[in-house]
Amino acid sequence: MKQSYPVGETDKILSESTPPKNVLAIVVTRIGDTLLCTPALRALKETWPDCRLTVIAHSERGSVLRGLSFIDELKGFHHWRCWVEGWRRTRKFDLAFLFHGDQEKLNYARKVASHVFSDPIPGAKRDGLVTFVPASVSPLAAVDDRLRIVRFAGADTNCRRLSYVVSDVEKDWARKFLDKHEIKSRGPRIAIQLKGFPTKSNRDWPFESFKALVGRIINFYPDSFFLITGDRESKADATELKKCFPEKILDTTGQCSLRETASLIGQMDLYVGPDTGPTHLAGALQVPMVGIYRAAVPSRFMTPFDHPMFRAVDHPRSGASNPHDAAMDEITVDSVWMAVEDLLIRSGFCPI
């Protein structure tokens, strides 16, 4: 087994003769960040196949991990769990891995595991129970940054693909949902995510740009159909888009659960959206997809690895000295259209 933690710590943490039997991963993060952890979780199970892997995730967003074969138990995170488990002081895990954690979650991990691997947490207590994994000297892709933590403990994988499982029941629901709305288009079925979450609105491509893109797609693919995904924050824009193309739009904003949205995206021929949770879902589902990325965080950091039908549209000022000042309207409709057209043709759809 590969060992990669500092010389002198091997005997204190693990040895080749004593692989861990119970492993904990704490992934209390947003949708996209949770999905980006799936290669690291897979690495734990591939390296120690006989271990029992328990994952504690956000009580709602963690549902994206449901059904993954390499997770033995999935639990929702609750603040009372930290108090109860801490009071019991039961160390039932050999190892714990903390992804994007804080002091509260680190304290919990220290109380239930014999050793914890974590990103450095400012002000956190340093002792023999915790190994703070140093950051990479150069910026890493998001998947590799999470793999960095498990690799420090000797776990690794050759597969960096994001993972998500749509159950047969969910697939059946999605098909019936689309049939109910008489969505039987002969042309491409395209999911569009208009917005990310409100606190990250600087990632959003302008509504007028999306409107122009939809119009251009319809010009070349008159039988196309568009599924608008997102939460209630996207409702106003989705309503306006439907007014412009009333026969072409199915607005699901604010109506579907996270997993329902994923099952609908899985039925689509193409997905288009900015850097946000559903975009990572499309990447995990291997749906042909176009991702639109801001200058400050270009696609090389967020790319869904091992996805042959992924096309990135990066901001023209990616890599500039002042990327945070680059407005998303600088990304042209032409540049997104070229990526869309390429994927539609490769998927077998012929423009008129």
Side-chain angles (χ1 to χ4, degrees), residues 209-341:
S209 298
F210 270 117
K211 177 182 171 181
L213 176 67
V214 170
R216 187 171 304 187
I217 295 173
I218 292 173
N219 284 338
F220 285 87
Y221 297 90
D223 292 329
S224 57
F225 153 79
F226 300 87
L227 175 81
I228 310 303
T229 60
D231 58 20
R232 286 173 292 183
E233 297 292 333
S234 303
K235 174 59 71 175
D237 283 354
T239 300
E240 184 62 26
L241 194 62
K242 187 172 179 63
K243 288 180 181 178
C244 299
F245 309 101
E247 303 300 322
K248 297 293 185 180
I249 301 292
L250 174 59
D251 174 17
T252 65
T253 55
Q255 301 176 40
C256 296
S257 69
L258 178 56
R259 290 197 64 91
E260 288 171 344
T261 296
S263 64
L264 289 172
I265 291 174
Q267 296 292 314
M268 297 293 107
D269 301 301
L270 179 69
Y271 170 94
V272 183
D275 177 19
T276 191
T279 303
H280 293 291
L281 277 173
L285 291 165
Q286 296 282 288
V287 173
M289 61 178 289
V290 176
I292 305 171
Y293 297 88
R294 60 193 172 121
V297 185
S299 62
R300 66 179 181 273
F301 295 113
M302 293 298 172
T303 182
F305 289 107
D306 304 324
H307 190 336
M309 294 290 276
F310 163 71
R311 298 293 181 272
V313 179
D314 279 307
H315 196 285
R317 284 205 272 157
S318 293
S321 59
N322 57 340
H324 294 281
D325 297 331
M328 288 294 282
D329 61 7
E330 295 178 38
I331 299 176
T332 66
V333 175
D334 285 343
S335 62
V336 179
W337 160 247
M338 288 176 61
V340 167
E341 184 181 34

Side-chain angles (χ1 to χ4, degrees), residues 29-316:
T29 55
R30 293 187 178 276
I31 299 167
D33 291 323
T34 301
L35 288 166
L36 290 166
C37 287
T38 54
L41 299 177
R42 185 192 303 113
L44 294 172
K45 197 67 171 182
E46 286 183 5
T47 303
W48 302 302
D50 295 327
C51 80
R52 178 175 178 80
L53 177 58
T54 299
V55 177
I56 293 178
H58 188 278
S59 55
E60 295 178 3
R61 302 167 193 146
S63 66
V64 299
L65 302 177
R66 192 186 307 159
L68 297 182
S69 61
F70 45 83
I71 295 177
D72 296 296
E73 184 176 10
L74 178 63
K75 297 180 178 180
F77 176 81
H78 301 282
H79 294 282
W80 59 263
R81 186 189 302 280
C82 292
W83 186 87
V84 172
E85 297 280 0
W87 178 73
R88 291 175 179 171
R89 291 187 176 276
T90 304
R91 297 193 189 281
K92 57 183 180 180
F93 297 103
D94 301 305
L95 293 177
F97 295 86
L98 179 57
F99 298 91
H100 290 275
D102 54 27
Q103 186 69 62
E104 179 188 30
K105 298 175 187 64
L106 178 63
N107 288 342
Y108 168 70
R110 291 177 69 255
K111 292 170 184 174
V112 300
S114 298
H115 199 89
V116 183
F117 290 87
S118 170
D119 275 315
I121 296 175
K125 179 181 178 182
R126 295 177 179 270
D127 56 30
L129 287 175
V130 181
T131 295
F132 290 114
V133 181
S136 172
V137 175
S138 58
L140 296 174
V143 164
D144 290 328
D145 191 49
R146 287 145 181 85
L147 278 167
R148 169 182 55 87
I149 296 176
V150 302
R151 283 170 172 161
F152 208 74
D156 209 346
T157 179
N158 292 322
C159 179
R160 295 189 290 170
R161 174 179 170 176
L162 304 183
S163 294
Y164 184 95
V165 175
V166 180
S167 70
D168 291 338
V169 171
E170 290 169 330
K171 290 178 184 177
D172 186 57
W173 174 86
R175 286 190 288 263
K176 289 179 179 178
F177 181 90
L178 294 172
D179 287 343
K180 177 182 176 181
H181 290 86
E182 299 182 351
I183 305 306
K184 300 176 181 179
S185 173
R186 293 174 297 170
R189 304 198 293 186
I190 303 170
I192 289 184
Q193 179 80 18
L194 296 172
K195 292 180 178 294
F197 41 96
T199 58
K200 300 290 184 179
S201 59
N202 60 338
R203 302 180 183 185
D204 296 341
W205 202 38
F207 170 77
E208 291 299 326
S209 298
F210 270 117
K211 177 182 171 181
L213 176 67
V214 170
R216 187 171 304 187
I217 295 173
I218 292 173
N219 284 338
F220 285 87
Y221 297 90
D223 292 329
S224 57
F225 153 79
F226 300 87
L227 175 81
I228 310 303
T229 60
D231 58 20
R232 286 173 292 183
E233 297 292 333
S234 303
K235 174 59 71 175
D237 283 354
T239 300
E240 184 62 26
L241 194 62
K242 187 172 179 63
K243 288 180 181 178
C244 299
F245 309 101
E247 303 300 322
K248 297 293 185 180
I249 301 292
L250 174 59
D251 174 17
T252 65
T253 55
Q255 301 176 40
C256 296
S257 69
L258 178 56
R259 290 197 64 91
E260 288 171 344
T261 296
S263 64
L264 289 172
I265 291 174
Q267 296 292 314
M268 297 293 107
D269 301 301
L270 179 69
Y271 170 94
V272 183
D275 177 19
T276 191
T279 303
H280 293 291
L281 277 173
L285 291 165
Q286 296 282 288
V287 173
M289 61 178 289
V290 176
I292 305 171
Y293 297 88
R294 60 193 172 121
V297 185
S299 62
R300 66 179 181 273
F301 295 113
M302 293 298 172
T303 182
F305 289 107
D306 304 324
H307 190 336
M309 294 290 276
F310 163 71
R311 298 293 181 272
V313 179
D314 279 307
H315 196 285

